Amino acid sequence: MTDAPWDKSRLKNRTRLIYAGRRPSEQHGFVNTPVYRGSTVLFPTVEDLVKRKARFTYGTQGSPTTQSLETAWTELAGAAGTVLAPSGLAAISLALLTAVKCGDHILVSDSVYKPTRIFCETILARMGVETEYYDPLIGAAIDSLVRPNTSAIFMETPGSQSFELQDVPAIAAVARAKGACAILDNTWATPLFFPPHAHGADMAIEAGTKYLSGHSDLLLGLVSANKGWFSRLHATADAFAMCAGPEDVFLALRGLRTLDLRLHEAERQALDLANWLNERPEVAQVLHPALPSCPGHALWKRDFSGSSGLFSVLLAPCSNKAMAAMLDGLRLFGMGYSWGGFESLVIPFDCSSYRSATTWSPPGPALRFSVGLEDVEDLKDDLDQGFERLRAIG
Ligand SMILES: *Cc1c(COP(=O)(O)O)cnc(C)c1O
């Protein structure tokens, strides 16, 4: 392996992940970049100190550890650069704060991660930024909602509970034509299944907490940006001293090496389980982007090269008590927030109280599954027994 620059443009993703961001010659030959813990960086002369003449200058502004991950992610996302944040939500707020100023209007998909809404409705509202929600399936017709002061259009595809697919290229084209910033929460697909900037996103968010970590043991956010937006993103991150802990970044680099393997395995298992659930009489609809029953499925087929391990189902009408009896007795599926780890999770969810541009009225309770790396037959057994408990109550 050589550290010297060479043309990596023809490498497949799986190979790219093995080499991205590693410089063994700078680490005495060791394969991985270690955890650099540090605040102070020492300068040899007054002149260097005053001019900050060094590759690294202070802990908040990066270290070889953070630079390894930023470099790797930039390459993977096809971006001009990447900044790190302490969580996915911090990455979302950083991207929004990079794009807006007082007096602006922004358009946000009605299907976004709920804490994104809360950030818009509290912090951005307090700063004098108005948020308007739009139907995630709107496509190019978003043009009619853009105002002269619209500075950002925020997308999330698919929505991480309700799974509507968005027409990112069409919406990003409108944003470009109108001078607004196209921001995409790309956590579900990761750049492996949906290269965000090639599809028109100016800034793309990844909650590294999910598949990049893959082990439910860290919190991390990444924002990548194209040429037009990276310097402003970087300056904003610097002004906030936005940074991520070195141990978490190290673990994310470890996760990065197996991201392609884990994502493909999660995809295979989730598709198997989704098709099995699709045949169950207790299930009214499966919301999995690779299944035709998912809203916007054709866009998944057109734009994505894979699906991950997260999907939802709408149950046929049943009481909440029956649903609770099903979930409370599960042995393998854990119940808890977040997703993308090695272990399977399930949660009930209900978007009806906060949707404003669309209505959410499923026939029965809705469940979201994050499928992990267990044997899928064991997972089916666990759910099969759960459906028995559900039917016993009705
Ligand atoms: C979890 C999640 C986030 C936030 O990530 P955290 O690291 O938990 O803050 C953002 N977007 C989506 C789609 C998520 O699922």
Side-chain angles (χ1 to χ4, degrees), residues 53 89 191 207 266 307 337 381:
K53 220 171 85 189
L89 185 56
S307 55
Y337 296 104
D381 278 348

Side-chain angles (χ1 to χ4, degrees), residues 34 43 45 48 92 140 190 221 226 236 255 269 314 348 362 378 381:
F43 297 83
T45 67
D48 289 348
I92 290 167
T190 84
N226 62 14
T236 309
Q269 301 244 95
L314 307 179
D378 291 334
D381 278 348

Side-chain angles (χ1 to χ4, degrees), residues 95-147:
L96 282 165
L97 289 168
T98 297
V100 301
K101 64 179 186 315
C102 182
D104 283 350
H105 164 257
I106 62 169
L107 289 164
V108 174
S109 170
D110 211 20
S111 59
V112 286
Y113 178 62
K114 192 177 170 195
T116 304
R117 291 179 93 98
I118 295 171
F119 180 77
C120 293
E121 287 160 24
T122 56
I123 308 299
L124 291 189
R126 201 191 295 161
M127 286 172 53
V129 176
E130 182 190 350
T131 300
E132 179 179 346
Y133 296 99
Y134 65 89
D135 181 342
L137 301 175
I138 196 168
I142 199 165
D143 193 57
S144 65
L145 299 179
V146 178
R147 304 179 194 168

Side-chain angles (χ1 to χ4, degrees), residues 87-90 92 113 156 160 185 187 207 209-210 219-220 338-339:
S87 71
L89 185 56
I92 290 167
Y113 178 62
E156 180 181 318
S160 64
D185 185 335
T187 300
T209 307
K210 312 291 167 59
L219 292 158
L220 187 73
S338 205
W339 45 277

Side-chain angles (χ1 to χ4, degrees), residues 146-158:
V146 178
R147 304 179 194 168
N149 63 337
T150 303
S151 57
I153 302 180
F154 193 101
M155 297 168 271
E156 180 181 318
T157 186

